[in-house]
Amino acid sequence: MSTSPLLLSGITQHTLQSERLKTAYLTTGQGPLPVVLIHGNCSSSLFFQDFMLALAETGRYTIYAPDLRGYGASETLPVDATRGVRDFSDDIASFVRALDLPSFHLLGWSLGGNVAIQYAIDYPGTLRTLMLEATGSPYGFGGTKDVIGTPVWLDYAGSGGGTANGDFVQRLADGDRGSDPTSPRTTINTFYFKPPFRAAPDREEIFVSSILAMAVAPGNYPGDTLPSENWPGSAPGAQGVNNALSPKYLNQGELANVSEKPPVLWFHGADDQIVSDTSMFDIGFLGQLGFVPGWPGAQLYPPQPMKGQIRAVLESYKEHGGTYQEFIIPECGHSPHIEQQDEAVKLCTEFIDAH
């Protein structure tokens, strides 16, 4: 058990060796219902601490928040992007088996939402509920042009490791704790949250430390890249998390066809700038704004309709016998569990207790 200065009172950190990797995880609460939380890209379980403590106050849940491979204090192993996010979802499966958890409630935030969706597809019958917080699109990040995930180019140029901001990646590698425009600190306060929201200074330092703990390497973040004759000039490689999120390898439309369909809660901020139909991280939208030169125009390469894609897949899920609820949280960016913690706790606890 770790006593890291980054841990809040009431949170404990443990390390578990599964058949796949050594996983660090946070836990709190002693209730009968297990809840597993999966963090997003460029973060770790540390982003969940206050949310975990608030859930634990109900007395009904035991909460677990693992660090994904290459993030936080977990083992760094390369990500095989050709499997989409299955390396991550298989890791979660081995984690819950090692803990010998019964059927459980699963929440995924951002990238964690894609991991949670993949888990639901590959391990049917093990979930009580599936909660998606600001989840990524089931058709990945970048490179698609409509709600059914049609690729813009056959090589999926405009998605994958080559779309990461090179200066941000270098600042991660350098351990930058400053406040320059592309620093991790500024990225959190500009894009993870809706300005002018800002976490308390001690929490902000935890969040910055969390991001800086991730593995910056071609096999992890952001991933390798291939040259392309198509705009913007790069296509996804075969390793690393950003390539795992490329629609070349990630297509989760099959969620609608899973044999066992847990009820789904999808909640997201109205002002999310990361997962959005006008995402500040989507190459199509950045091209439209003039930030990436040579944009071929909206008819050929429109902004990716991320939220429209999520909604279309969940509607198909409903048509095939599943159920879902959607909640849009006003005055909120990409991190409802931090920016609007009380609302996020209320949504999740009421959803869990109803199922």
Side-chain angles (χ1 to χ4, degrees):
M1 184 175 70
S2 171
T3 56
S4 166
L6 300 176
L7 299 181
L8 303 184
S9 177
I11 299 285
T12 57
Q13 184 179 55
H14 305 265
T15 300
L16 175 154
Q17 179 68 59
S18 74
E19 72 270 19
R20 290 180 59 81
L21 79 163
K22 185 179 293 185
T23 299
Y25 67 99
L26 306 183
T27 188
T28 192
Q30 297 181 333
L33 299 177
V35 180
V36 176
L37 312 178
I38 308 176
H39 65 81
N41 201 359
C42 299
S43 66
S44 77
S45 61
L46 294 174
F47 274 76
F48 281 129
Q49 289 190 87
D50 284 297
F51 183 63
M52 292 173 69
L53 292 170
L55 289 175
E57 284 181 2
T58 68
R60 299 193 293 276
Y61 319 120
T62 300
I63 304 102
Y64 306 88
D67 289 333
L68 297 174
R69 63 168 62 195
Y71 293 87
S74 283
E75 184 177 1
T76 294
L77 294 174
V79 177
D80 180 357
T82 67
R83 304 185 70 232
V85 296
R86 281 189 169 91
D87 271 357
F88 295 125
S89 62
D90 288 348
D91 291 348
I92 295 297
S94 69
F95 171 74
V96 298
R97 284 196 300 267
L99 286 173
D100 197 26
L101 294 186
S103 60
F104 61 98
H105 302 274
L106 180 61
L107 180 146
W109 167 45
S110 194
L111 159 67
N114 291 107
V115 176
I117 290 170
Q118 195 64 56
Y119 181 93
I121 292 170
D122 293 341
Y123 299 94
T126 61
L127 294 182
R128 298 188 183 197
T129 63
L130 174 62
M131 294 172 283
L132 305 175
E133 178 192 0
T135 182
S137 165
Y139 298 112
F141 207 104
T144 60
K145 59 185 179 181
D146 55 29
V147 297
I148 60 172
T150 304
V152 177
W153 309 116
L154 293 180
D155 66 354
Y156 295 87
S159 68
T163 62
N165 182 298
D167 194 45
F168 174 74
V169 174
Q170 188 60 53
R171 289 177 184 276
L172 285 178
D174 292 343
D176 182 2
R177 302 189 71 92
S179 299
D180 287 340
T182 57
S183 69
R185 186 183 305 275
T186 299
T187 299
I188 291 170
N189 289 314
T190 305
F191 299 111
Y192 287 36
F193 310 143
K194 179 188 177 182
F197 178 90
R198 192 155 185 167
D202 61 330
R203 300 306 197 260
E204 183 172 303
E205 295 307 317
I206 291 173
F207 298 155
V208 172
S209 297
S210 171
I211 293 181
L212 294 178
M214 62 190 284
V216 179
N220 297 99
Y221 180 86
D224 57 339
T225 185
L226 298 174
S228 173
E229 296 180 353
N230 299 313
W231 185 83
S234 67
Q239 291 190 336
V241 61
N242 283 19
N243 291 318
L245 287 170
S246 166
K248 180 176 183 178
Y249 309 118
L250 184 71
N251 184 333
Q252 298 179 320
E254 61 186 303
L255 178 68
N257 299 315
V258 295
S259 58
E260 305 229 6
K261 294 181 170 65
V264 175
L265 170 67
W266 172 34
F267 63 101
H268 51 105
D271 305 296
D272 193 337
Q273 296 186 80
I274 297 178
V275 177
S276 169
D277 291 354
T278 52
S279 169
M280 292 301 294
F281 291 77
D282 170 46
I283 205 75
F285 188 58
L286 291 175
Q288 180 176 291
L289 294 178
F291 294 147
V292 182
W295 180 57
Q299 184 171 355
L300 185 58
Y301 209 123
Q304 180 185 355
M306 298 182 192
K307 289 193 177 182
Q309 291 173 342
I310 299 165
R311 195 170 290 113
V313 167
L314 291 178
E315 280 296 312
S316 180
Y317 186 77
K318 181 178 177 181
E319 290 168 4
H320 286 78
T323 63
Y324 85 93
Q325 299 176 41
E326 177 186 358
F327 291 91
I328 303 173
I329 302 177
E331 297 300 318
C332 185
H334 188 60
S335 309
H337 72 278
I338 298 172
E339 299 169 82
Q340 300 282 355
Q341 178 181 291
D342 290 347
E343 180 65 17
V345 169
K346 181 175 184 290
L347 286 172
C348 292
T349 55
E350 289 182 352
F351 187 73
I352 290 171
D353 294 346
H355 300 93

